[in-house]
Amino acid sequence: MSETAGTLIERATPSSEDWKFRMRCPRCGSSISDIHTKPSCVNYSCDYSSAGFPVVDGQPVLIDFESSVFDRRLYHRDNGSVMPRDVAGQSIGTRLHRFTFGENPVAAKNCEKFLDLLKQETARPVVLVVGGGTVGSGADCLYDDPDVEVVGTDVFSTDNTALVADAHRLPFEDATFDGVWIQAVLEHVLEPATVAAEIHRVLRQNGIVYAETPFMQQVHERAYDFSRFTQSGHRWLFKKFTEIDAGAVSGAGIGLLWSIRYFSRTLGAGDKFSRLFTLPFFWLRYFDRLGRSRARADAASGVYFMGRRAERAIKQREMPRYYNAQA
């Protein structure tokens, strides 16, 4: 399913790392001085002029802590993560998960399309990855392309991030990026609509967004897991974008695997045992290749949306028609 894309425009290729000069205070929007040593807001009336921002692993933590679920004290140690993470993806638990649930061919295919669309606009697109502490499944081509400048952000620092930020208040000027990639993140933010509006703000004219968000999936980030979306709900979240493509990332088979895993946990199995308990049922994911699009989306474990930045939002009355067109 797709809608008519916006008219292509010619634009000069941005200079390398130009985005670094477009970072702004997440509280007041003013410039930031000494970004990598002692970052602080240049606006003397702003609290972050005197308090400044923390730095972890050499990366500035540009978060307005007064309006965030993350506490400043998290960034006085380690990388600021609220829980242990297998960033490299090499732990036994991660490997068991990968074998049981498989890879993400939908994201891999969409990543190629995403890059192709961006390169129709500019020779060297600059892409903001929100939640880029780890490389998302199927997103490798984004990082492997030498003609793409990737700016990774997350609420903790890793080798994949350039700075730490809360997506509710992205610390960049308007119209800074050609594309935004946000994969398995929107379920972890308190106000998804606010984040979608921020993505719209930091995208240039005709900029492209790609988002993946769970629908039928259990809580997987403990206290930092808040929302789920149907395909229609996901579309409405990005209502100020022209749809290029949308659909299910994974279907009822993957959803059933998640249910089996969490069913075993409700019976007292710990995280490790629940992974082993689910392992014999890995074959259920192959059924996701079958079925009609709307029925598959109705039972999807996760959904995706790819869209182009627009100036006007779709109308409420269009949403029932949108659902019916999925058949």
Side-chain angles (χ1 to χ4, degrees):
M1 158 181 289
S2 63
E3 299 168 10
T4 303
T7 303
L8 299 184
I9 60 171
E10 292 186 0
R11 185 176 66 247
T13 301
S15 60
S16 179
E17 299 189 337
D18 176 64
W19 58 271
K20 289 185 176 181
F21 302 99
R22 301 175 67 87
M23 287 192 283
R24 293 295 180 262
C25 173
R27 169 72 66 83
C28 70
S30 300
S31 299
I32 299 173
S33 63
D34 302 321
I35 191 67
H36 289 297
T37 53
K38 192 177 179 180
S40 60
C41 180
V42 300
N43 178 4
Y44 292 118
S45 63
C46 178
D47 290 341
Y48 290 101
S49 176
S50 55
F53 297 95
V55 175
V56 291
D57 296 332
Q59 299 179 19
V61 182
L62 302 183
I63 295 177
D64 182 2
F65 296 103
E66 292 300 315
S67 60
S68 175
V69 297
F70 299 100
D71 194 298
R72 187 181 184 116
R73 290 171 294 184
L74 283 170
Y75 303 97
H76 292 167
R77 63 183 189 278
D78 301 325
N79 65 351
S81 179
V82 295
M83 61 188 69
R85 299 178 187 275
D86 178 26
V87 175
Q90 298 301 313
S91 70
I92 294 176
T94 299
R95 292 181 181 184
L96 283 174
H97 180 90
R98 192 180 300 127
F99 177 83
T100 305
F101 290 86
E103 300 294 341
N104 188 342
V106 172
K109 179 181 178 181
N110 287 336
C111 188
E112 293 180 359
K113 185 174 183 178
F114 177 75
L115 293 177
D116 181 63
L117 289 168
L118 289 175
K119 290 179 180 180
Q120 291 177 26
E121 296 282 340
T122 181
R124 183 172 171 79
V126 183
V127 176
L128 174 68
V129 180
V130 179
T134 57
V135 177
S137 179
D140 300 85
C141 70
L142 179 62
Y143 292 82
D144 294 340
D145 194 320
D147 296 322
V148 177
E149 188 172 352
V150 175
V151 181
T153 67
D154 212 317
V155 294
F156 58 96
S157 66
T158 73
D159 290 341
N160 299 313
T161 57
L163 68 153
V164 177
D166 187 323
H168 293 88
R169 295 194 177 188
L170 292 171
F172 300 100
E173 288 183 2
D174 296 358
T176 294
F177 299 99
D178 300 293
V180 173
W181 184 276
I182 179 166
Q183 189 177 13
V185 173
L186 288 165
E187 71 270 31
H188 302 305
V189 302
L190 282 173
E191 299 175 359
T194 298
V195 175
E198 279 291 275
I199 290 171
H200 186 275
R201 180 184 66 80
V202 301
L203 275 172
R204 295 187 172 112
Q205 184 180 0
N206 285 336
I208 307 293
V209 64
Y210 180 75
E212 287 184 1
T213 314
F215 173 35
M216 294 291 190
Q217 184 178 346
Q218 284 74 10
V219 171
H220 52 276
E221 284 279 343
R222 303 176 188 173
Y224 299 90
D225 197 333
F226 307 105
S227 303
R228 298 292 183 271
F229 291 92
T230 62
Q231 182 173 328
S232 292
H234 210 222
R235 176 67 186 101
W236 183 249
L237 183 64
F238 291 98
K239 56 183 175 290
K240 211 169 180 183
F241 289 80
T242 300
E243 182 178 295
I244 297 169
D245 196 9
V249 176
S250 51
I254 293 291
L256 188 52
L257 283 171
W258 277 106
S259 294
I260 291 171
R261 179 179 170 189
Y262 276 74
F263 174 71
S264 67
R265 291 181 67 173
T266 63
L267 297 179
D271 183 64
K272 293 180 180 178
F273 184 78
S274 68
R275 292 177 189 270
L276 292 173
F277 188 86
T278 311
L279 189 61
F281 302 97
F282 75 93
W283 49 270
L284 288 169
R285 59 183 163 91
Y286 293 110
F287 284 96
D288 284 354
R289 301 174 182 178
L290 308 175
R292 295 179 296 110
S293 59
R294 187 170 71 182
R296 186 168 182 263
D298 284 349
S301 176
V303 294
Y304 73 87
F305 175 84
M306 188 185 299
R308 190 182 299 276
R309 187 185 188 278
E311 297 305 320
R312 296 183 180 181
I314 58 175
K315 303 295 184 181
Q316 291 91 333
R317 62 177 177 270
E318 295 181 40
M319 292 311 300
R321 191 183 314 124
Y322 177 81
Y323 175 83
N324 292 328
Q326 294 171 29

